[in-house]
Amino acid sequence: MKKYYALETNSKEADIYIFGDITSWEWFENDVSSYTLSKELQALDPDIEVINVHINSYGGEVAEGLAIYNMLRNHKAKVRTYCDGFACSIASVIFMAGDERIMNAASLLMVHNAWMYTAGNADQLRKDADDLDKITQASINAYMQNVNITEDKLKELLDAETWILPSEALEMGFATSIVGETATQKAAASARKALFSLVKNVCLKPAVESEPAPPPVQIVVPTPEPDPEPEPPKENKPLKFLSALMR
């Protein structure tokens, strides 16, 4: 019977498919346990260079998931994890084991705090609450190996039981790349980054002392030359002689 959990090898690469619940009791064909996976990893050819882990899982038991995460992290081969649908709860921690963490454009991560069923008196319930905080911290430690957000911000995401889109996962460091994006989406992301860089450079550029202003231009208006004095009228000697005769 074909299992939804499977390990396939091809040349120098091995492909693991975790398409079911992560559990210590493999009731269904698509369940996977840390024990089964450990046996499969031990049986791999020592020359295997890359392990591709494809994930579509709602999660499962924290202990099993942490063991799978650590086995993959400690393996000598390069590990690529792929989110092929949902990587929820402890499955999102397994996703973080990849040296490369690749999300499909139509996929989601979901993170939340550990939870459990319990019964008992007040003291027992208080102890269980303290234990859950420590169990959740183990997952936080795994996330913090790769994310670029603060631990306080990560805890806010866990408290809110947050679904994370591929673009958000890439921005926060959960993922290293996205496959299946259209050219328009890639161009838009590139434009946003370029615009952000431009604004950041303008805002952070140190102030430059302004150069001294050039001296004002002086406009010289030439003084007009005075009009020449009129020449005295020329003497009319004939008229003057006639006037003398008629006196």
Side-chain angles (χ1 to χ4, degrees):
M1 179 181 296
K2 183 178 179 180
K3 292 170 66 68
Y4 285 88
Y5 158 71
L7 188 150
E8 301 175 358
T9 59
N10 180 17
S11 185
K12 297 293 185 180
E13 296 192 11
D15 295 295
I16 297 175
Y17 295 86
I18 301 176
F19 282 4
D21 291 337
I22 299 154
T23 177
S24 55
W25 296 90
E26 298 177 348
W27 292 104
F28 301 101
E29 63 176 344
N30 60 339
D31 289 343
V32 58
S33 70
S34 60
Y35 176 79
T36 300
L37 183 59
S38 69
K39 292 298 183 183
E40 297 284 1
L41 290 176
Q42 290 173 13
L44 283 178
D45 188 315
D47 293 331
I48 287 292
E49 297 176 355
V50 179
I51 300 175
N52 300 307
V53 184
H54 297 266
I55 302 170
N56 181 33
S57 172
Y58 288 106
E61 297 178 30
V62 176
E64 295 295 305
L66 290 176
I68 293 172
Y69 165 84
N70 286 314
M71 282 190 291
L72 293 172
R73 287 280 293 183
N74 295 329
H75 201 280
K76 67 177 184 179
K78 179 178 180 178
V79 175
R80 292 194 196 105
T81 51
Y82 293 83
C83 183
D84 288 337
F86 285 176
C88 304
S89 189
I90 197 63
S92 68
V93 175
I94 296 174
F95 178 74
M96 301 304 292
D99 300 300
E100 294 181 34
R101 301 173 303 284
I102 303 164
M103 292 190 70
N104 285 274
S107 66
L108 289 167
L109 302 180
M110 194 276 277
V111 298
H112 69 127
N113 293 314
W115 61 276
M116 66 186 298
Y117 292 109
T118 187
N121 59 27
D123 291 337
Q124 181 62 47
L125 296 180
R126 291 188 188 95
K127 182 181 185 306
D128 288 341
D130 291 338
D131 291 345
L132 281 175
D133 286 339
K134 293 181 179 180
I135 294 170
T136 296
Q137 187 63 44
S139 294
I140 290 173
N141 294 343
Y143 291 125
M144 291 302 297
Q145 294 294 316
N146 295 307
V147 296
N148 55 32
I149 58 177
T150 64
E151 185 169 323
D152 287 339
K153 176 60 177 178
L154 176 61
K155 288 180 177 179
E156 290 178 8
L157 298 177
L158 297 173
D159 290 341
E161 298 190 351
T162 305
W163 291 89
I164 302 174
L165 292 167
S167 58
E168 296 170 330
L170 185 62
E171 181 180 357
M172 292 186 285
F174 289 94
T176 58
S177 62
I178 303 171
V179 296
E181 284 187 312
T182 63
T184 301
Q185 290 172 318
K186 291 181 179 178
S190 177
R192 284 195 297 270
K193 290 180 180 178
L195 180 59
F196 176 76
S197 297
L198 176 62
V199 173
K200 181 176 68 174
N201 290 337
V202 171
C203 293
L204 298 181
K205 186 176 181 181
V208 178
E209 295 183 2
S210 58
E211 296 181 358
V217 178
Q218 296 182 353
I219 301 175
V220 179
V221 179
T223 304
E225 297 181 0
D227 295 335
E229 296 182 2
E231 297 181 0
K234 293 182 179 181
E235 185 178 8
N236 192 336
K237 292 182 177 181
L239 179 60
K240 186 177 180 180
F241 175 74
L242 291 175
S243 298
L245 290 178
M246 296 182 63
R247 285 184 182 174

